[in-house]
Each structure stands twice: as C-alpha cells, then as structure tokens.
Amino acid sequence: MTARKAQRTARLMHLLSERRVIHLSEAATLLGVSEMTVRRDIATNQGQIAYLGGHILAAAEIDADAPYELATAADSHAAAKREACAHAVRKIRPDETIFIDCGTTLIHLVDLIPDDYQITAICYAMNVAERLSRKANITIIMLGGVYHPASASFSGTHDFDILKSVGINAAFLSAAGVDAKRGATCEHFHEAVVKQKVMGLARENYLVVDSSKIGKLKRAFFAPMDGFDAVITEHGEASPDSF
Amino acid sequence: MTARKAQRTARLMHLLSERRVIHLSEAATLLGVSEMTVRRDIATNQGQIAYLGGHILAAAEIDADAPYELATAADSHAAAKREACAHAVRKIRPDETIFIDCGTTLIHLVDLIPDDYQITAICYAMNVAERLSRKANITIIMLGGVYHPASASFSGTHDFDILKSVGINAAFLSAAGVDAKRGATCEHFHEAVVKQKVMGLARENYLVVDSSKIGKLKRAFFAPMDGFDAVITEHGEASPDSF
DNA sequence: CAGCGTTTGTTAAATTCCTTACATTTCAGG
DNA sequence: CCTGAAATGTAAGGAATTTAACAAACGCTG
C-alpha cells in the first residue's frame, strides 16, 4: 500500500463519517481518481469500508454477521470458478463427508451443493464455514488453530486429531498455481500443511481451479499432479496426467 | 396498506434483524413474492427499510437519525451487555492472552478492545472469530470441532490440544443463568465442556452477564459461583460471594 | 356476481454496474 | 537516465439493476 493510497483511503473514511453513503462515481470525483481506482482501494480494505452495488458505506454500519455480499475482495475469474465448481459438485454423493479447501474458488462449490444433501463438510477457513452455515442439512467440522487473515484460514500447528476420526470421501482442493512439473502450489505454507494432511486421508482428491492458474507457480508446494484423482476446471474434468 | 403487505414488511424486518443485508432476489424468494413486489414494499416504507443497489438493509444501518430499535431488537439487553463489557475490558492488559466465550454478550467485549492492544484471543464461536478478525493487532486462536448452529459455536469432541500450549491470562465467560446456589448455567451441554476446560487453565476467570440472567437456571451447569474471580454486570464488578 | 380500484406479476428496454484485459503512468533502484 | 514493478486509467463485454408499461389476479362493494 502506497502512501498515496493510504491517504485516499483516509479521505474516503472521513467522507463516510459525514455522509453515511457515497456513490462510487461521486467518490471517484471527490478523490480525483478513476472509479476503478476507488474500486481497487475498497477491495484491499475489507473490514473498514463496505461496498454494495455501486454505493460505498462504512463497514461499521453493517456489523452483524458479515454478509457475503460485503466481502469486497475482488473475486477474479469468478465465472470460471463457478463453472469449475459446477463440474466438481457432481462428485458429491448425498450422504458423504467431504473436505473443502480455503480460497474463493470453493465458496462456489458450497453454494452449488443441493439443499437436500445430508453431507458432512470439513473446512478450515472462516469464509467457507460461514457459507456452509447458511445451508441446512450440512454438518460442519471446522479445523481450528491460529488465524491467518490473508486467507481467512486457520493453521493447526497441532495435530489434527479430529481428522483421524472422520472418513473423508472426497477432498476438494484449490491451488494458486498448477504446473505439470512442479505440481500444485499455493501462497501460504500453513495451507500446504493442511492440504497435505487431508490428501493423505481422503479417498478421492480433486483439484478444482480455474484455468488461469495453469502454468503458474507459487511459493508453497503441496502435491504433485499425480496426487490428484482428477483436475477440474471450467472446461470439465481432466486427468492429472494431461498436464 | 393491506394486511398482507404489512405482514410481508414485518417478516422482512425480522429477516433484517438477523441478517443485516438481504439481496432483493433472496428476499423475494423468502417472502414468496416477486422481486417487483418487494421493491414496491420498500418504496412505500422508506425510513424503516433501506435499499441500495439490489440489497436490502435496515434503515438504521445507513441513517444516523434512524432509531436504534432495530439493532437492539435481535440482541436483547444489548445496552446492559455493552456496559458490562465496558467494565470487563478493563481487566485486559495490552499484551495478554484471553479467552472469549460464545454468545452475544462478549461480542461487545471484542468491540471494546483498544485497537493498539496486541493481544491473543482464543475463541470457539464463529461470530466471535469473525468479529475479532476485523481488528488489527489481534492474534486469533480458534477451537474447531463440530458446528452448532444454535450458538454459532464449535464443540471439540476431541482434546483441545492447543489449549495446553497456550497460557491464558484471563477467561471471559458468559452464561444464560446465574444463581447463588446452582452456579452458572448455559443452554448447551457442549458449551459447558469448553467452559470448564478453559476455566481450569486460565489464571483468572470472569463471568460477564447482564443482570437479567441473575436468578435464572438453565440446563447445562458449568461452574459454581466461587469458580469465578469476579462477576461483572452492567453495574460493575462484584464478588461471587455476594450472590 | 358484476364492476372497479388495488395489488401483484411479467416483460422489455434503458441504464448502471462488474469484470477482464490491456495501455499508460508513476516511482524507486540500479 | 534506464528499467521493472506497482499503480492507475481506459474500454468493452457481459451481467445485474431500474424503470415503465401492461396484463392478470385479488378484494371489496353494491
């Protein structure tokens, strides 16, 4: 965050303290930048500034249980993610236990689970848990630990005792990088630990990513491509060998 | 205004008291009418219901002059709870590790923690964690487990390994019932397990309740009065012996 | 039960918003 | 002064919202 951006944000907050709601276009004018910049400022400023259909308001205004609409972080490639998840959801049977990885991709999977499915879902990210809790008929198991704001997830530096006593039919993993040689990678090392642990326990492992991730390489390696039973993108299911 | 419309509006208001923001399309589905009808209901109801870019929210959220009845409707005795927490927050030192119980009471405690305090907070309820995550400088440790929608909390049927490796300076407990003879009680048995575990580990234990809880008795017992170092209500701090 | 005004639903067009991709600018380090 | 990364601007498409007009259903009244 540059000094200029911090200053813009501060000015915006000040404006919000006087007028509860400011329209995007007006804010852009007042701050002397483009609407796109204001948009981007807000996207990197969850928690303080809320954004709703073109209108900006102080996040404090909306403080109960944060509705997902207010998760202002830009969810890039959302359409592709949703489509990939539409393919992935077909892997779920109505009474199974599944693992759902953190990140924005698999949020869409949660939404797509049919309402009458009586599944048990294991997760370790707050936004995933929050989304799961909106659905009826789902038993949620959360892996706790220390919270990591960057991914809204928890890292169990301790043993995942609970995992040992749960049979996982299918694990749905996400990744920030997918590469034929270097396998699946993510941004944060603590995530990699959880992913690996789960992959060792699940009967089936599916990598669910939008195709923009293919060819990319991130810091934290967690599995080679042949560690997955299938790779699911917006184009459908593919064998991990085909990468 | 017809009776049916008044009823719809009341239902909508009730929905808003639970979920601060509802999308137009979702509201239409929940109310069993078309989006256009919801739109028209809102148009003739400015002042109570606000509408912004496809999203419905309580007018109190965005209108400074609007009455706060809405905000307090969902959380009874909110003012007393906030006051009790204002007393409780003084027990926290800037670098301590604290435990925060589930329920609506201690949400206020989170809000009242000074922003520059570098504390570590242990919790096991999703709404508490979510609220904690809004604050900078707080390290959050979450106890996972199976989710219980009624209290938004998790029950670790397994050992809380992580608790053993954390030193808890102060534990802030809430209760649904406080009685001189029968001690502190809550609604759910799984909560009692966590509370007892924590109370055994924390250096200081504070019971934070609004005074409406005094004299009440609930199903799940978790501690006798002398198990607490102090009982904090909206009237201030009191010795547990005084009950 | 016919008539009439009100409420509600449906559709289509106009507007606005969101995402993506790419061009441009800025700025710090070499 | 050059270079590369980050920040910002621009534009196009697709998606969502808004508005308006009209049709259908409802409820009351005579």
Side-chain angles (χ1 to χ4, degrees), chain A residues 20-21 47 52-53 55 57 59 61-67 69-70 126 129-130 133-134 139-147 154 158-159 161-162 165, chain B residues 18-21 23 26 52-53 55 57 60-64 126 129-131 133-134 139-147 154 157-159 161-162 165:
Chain A
R20 296 293 181 100
V21 182
L52 216 46
H55 305 269
L57 52 166
E61 304 293 326
I62 318 265
D63 50 13
D65 49 316
E69 289 83 17
L70 292 178
M126 204 145 67
E130 201 273 334
S133 71
R134 302 250 190 107
T139 301
I140 307 169
I141 295 174
M142 177 106 175
L143 308 179
V146 178
Y147 184 66
F154 295 93
H158 303 258
D159 288 339
D161 275 347
I162 199 167
S165 54
Chain B
E18 302 178 332
R19 308 235 327 258
R20 295 288 178 99
V21 181
H23 192 270
E26 195 180 353
L52 274 186
H55 306 267
L57 51 168
E61 305 292 330
I62 60 163
D63 186 348
M126 203 143 71
E130 202 272 335
R131 200 63 153 247
S133 71
R134 304 251 187 106
T139 301
I140 308 168
I141 295 175
M142 176 105 177
L143 308 179
V146 178
Y147 184 66
F154 294 93
T157 52
H158 304 258
D159 287 340
D161 276 345
I162 199 166
S165 53

Side-chain angles (χ1 to χ4, degrees), chain A residues 39-241:
Chain A
R39 231 179 245 285
R40 287 194 264 238
D41 284 1
I42 295 166
T44 57
N45 219 307
Q46 302 235 66
Q48 291 187 81
I49 299 172
Y51 184 77
L52 216 46
H55 305 269
I56 305 164
L57 52 166
E61 304 293 326
I62 318 265
D63 50 13
D65 49 316
Y68 189 73
E69 289 83 17
L70 292 178
T72 46
D75 180 6
S76 56
H77 304 284
K81 288 174 180 177
R82 188 162 23 240
E83 241 183 293
C85 287
H87 293 294
V89 76
R90 288 206 288 269
K91 296 290 183 183
I92 305 174
R93 299 286 148 258
D95 58 349
E96 286 189 342
T97 296
I98 63 171
F99 171 84
I100 300 178
D101 206 349
C102 65
T104 53
T105 302
L106 292 166
I107 289 284
H108 298 290
L109 183 68
V110 175
D111 290 340
L112 292 166
I113 296 171
D115 286 328
D116 58 336
Y117 276 31
Q118 306 262 343
I119 67 171
T120 297
I122 304 167
C123 66
Y124 69 112
M126 204 145 67
N127 51 350
V128 174
E130 201 273 334
R131 199 62 156 243
L132 280 165
S133 71
R134 302 250 190 107
K135 301 197 79 105
N137 302 323
I138 292 190
T139 301
I140 307 169
I141 295 174
M142 177 106 175
L143 308 179
V146 178
Y147 184 66
H148 295 260
S151 56
S153 65
F154 295 93
S155 72
T157 51
H158 303 258
D159 288 339
F160 296 111
D161 275 347
I162 199 167
L163 286 180
K164 294 176 190 157
S165 54
V166 180
I168 306 175
N169 295 92
F172 294 91
L173 287 306
S174 63
V178 177
D179 185 87
K181 279 190 186 167
R182 317 296 289 273
T185 50
C186 60
E187 296 282 5
H188 307 287
F189 292 102
H190 77 266
E191 291 177 26
V193 175
V194 180
K195 289 171 201 273
Q196 289 180 329
K197 183 86 182 175
V198 167
M199 288 184 71
L201 293 168
R203 195 182 56 192
E204 295 160 15
N205 288 298
Y206 299 108
L207 181 63
V208 184
V209 292
D210 65 90
S211 58
S212 76
K213 306 298 195 308
I214 294 171
K216 297 214 170 121
L217 181 68
K218 297 294 177 179
R219 287 181 300 178
F221 166 84
F222 65 92
M225 294 311 290
D226 62 10
F228 300 99
D229 293 281
V231 178
I232 300 173
T233 70
E234 69 268 33
H235 304 120
E237 185 180 339
S239 160
D241 309 329

Side-chain angles (χ1 to χ4, degrees), chain B residues 23-227:
Chain B
H23 192 270
L24 177 65
S25 59
E26 195 180 353
T29 306
L30 290 169
L31 297 174
V33 293
S34 72
E35 296 187 5
M36 197 65 225
T37 299
V38 177
R39 229 180 247 285
R40 287 194 265 238
D41 284 1
I42 295 166
T44 57
N45 217 309
Q46 296 294 349
Q48 292 187 82
I49 299 172
Y51 184 78
L52 274 186
H55 306 267
I56 305 164
L57 51 168
E61 305 292 330
I62 60 163
D63 186 348
D65 302 326
Y68 262 88
E69 292 151 29
L70 282 175
T72 52
D75 180 6
S76 57
H77 305 283
K81 288 174 180 177
R82 188 160 21 240
E83 242 182 292
C85 287
H87 293 293
V89 78
R90 288 204 288 269
K91 296 291 183 183
I92 305 174
R93 298 286 148 260
D95 57 350
E96 286 188 342
T97 296
I98 63 172
F99 170 85
I100 300 178
D101 207 350
C102 66
T104 52
T105 302
L106 292 167
I107 290 284
H108 299 289
L109 182 68
V110 175
D111 290 340
L112 292 166
I113 296 171
D115 286 329
D116 58 336
Y117 275 30
Q118 306 261 343
I119 67 170
T120 298
I122 304 168
C123 67
Y124 68 112
M126 203 143 71
N127 51 349
V128 174
E130 202 272 335
R131 200 63 153 247
L132 281 165
S133 71
R134 304 251 187 106
K135 299 196 81 104
N137 302 323
I138 294 191
T139 301
I140 308 168
I141 295 175
M142 176 105 177
L143 308 179
V146 178
Y147 184 66
H148 295 261
S151 57
S153 66
F154 294 93
S155 72
T157 52
H158 304 258
D159 287 340
F160 296 111
D161 276 345
I162 199 166
L163 285 181
K164 294 176 191 158
S165 53
V166 180
I168 306 175
N169 295 91
F172 294 90
L173 288 305
S174 64
V178 177
D179 185 86
K181 279 190 187 168
R182 317 296 288 273
T185 50
C186 60
E187 296 282 8
H188 306 287
F189 293 101
H190 77 266
E191 290 176 26
V193 176
V194 180
K195 289 171 202 272
Q196 288 180 331
K197 183 86 182 176
V198 168
M199 290 183 71
L201 294 168
R203 195 183 56 193
E204 295 159 15
N205 289 297
Y206 299 107
L207 181 62
V208 183
V209 291
D210 66 271
S211 59
S212 75
K213 305 299 195 309
I214 294 170
K216 293 210 174 131
L217 180 67
K218 298 293 176 179
R219 287 181 299 178
F221 166 85
F222 65 91
M225 293 312 290
D226 62 11

